[in-house]
Amino acid sequence: MVDIECVVDAKARLGEGPLWDPLAQVLWWLDIKGHRIHRFDPATGTDRTWATPEDIGCLAVRERGGLIVAMRSGLYFFDPESARFDAIVDPEIDLPENRFNDGKPDRQGRFWPGSMYEGDRSRPSAGLYRVDPDLSYRRMVSDITCSNGLAWSPDGRTMYHSDS
């Protein structure tokens, strides 16, 4: 039998996007609607948080330090030390009813943020993007409603993605 225990009683409004940082040995996760970035350290039991200016959908740890995050209005660098957000690009500036949702980094150092349509879900205007280490980006999948559930096979050759 497996024992399950609550390690952070965060009372998140919409907790999602867990990402394990193997170097720092911490778990990053988000409260999308609560506008919070969380960093849980299992060694100390500490859950540090930072406020975000808007809905935040996903994040990845940067090799150079800090994070890359996808929020309602696009992609940003985030520096936890200063709590500063620096805009990179908004690939969906022409789609104001969309916001970024789920996403993950791959083994090649690319960030895969996906968007979702927040209207009545009848308009498949969202997409899945690939952001390369040089910050160039490309829409890889179009005409979806809610990008979700990115994962890769153990050998890294197959990507799984759902339109929920």
Side-chain angles (χ1 to χ4, degrees), residues 108-129:
Q108 291 75 34
R110 300 173 298 195
F111 183 42
W112 292 80
S115 62
M116 67 178 285
Y117 178 67
E118 283 203 310
D120 62 10
R121 304 278 173 119
S122 65
R123 185 173 157 215
S125 63
L128 176 66
Y129 295 82

Side-chain angles (χ1 to χ4, degrees), residues 25-104:
Q25 295 288 293
V26 297
L27 179 72
W28 292 95
W29 64 281
L30 307 169
D31 182 353
I32 295 172
K33 294 297 183 180
H35 299 172
R36 307 294 294 175
I37 296 172
H38 290 256
R39 181 182 184 264
F40 176 69
D41 183 341
T44 64
T46 304
D47 186 56
R48 185 169 177 200
T49 66
W50 293 265
T52 65
E54 58 193 31
D55 292 350
I56 181 165
C58 55
L59 59 79
V61 177
R62 296 183 63 215
E63 190 174 277
R64 298 179 189 170
L67 306 173
I68 184 171
V69 301
M71 293 193 289
R72 174 173 295 282
S73 62
L75 307 177
Y76 294 80
F77 290 132
F78 174 67
D79 175 26
E81 294 300 316
S82 65
R84 181 176 154 175
F85 292 89
D86 292 310
I88 302 168
V89 67
D90 184 356
E92 295 194 345
I93 196 165
D94 59 328
L95 299 167
E97 290 184 310
N98 284 7
R99 74 162 172 85
F100 277 92
N101 192 45
D102 202 6
K104 293 282 186 261

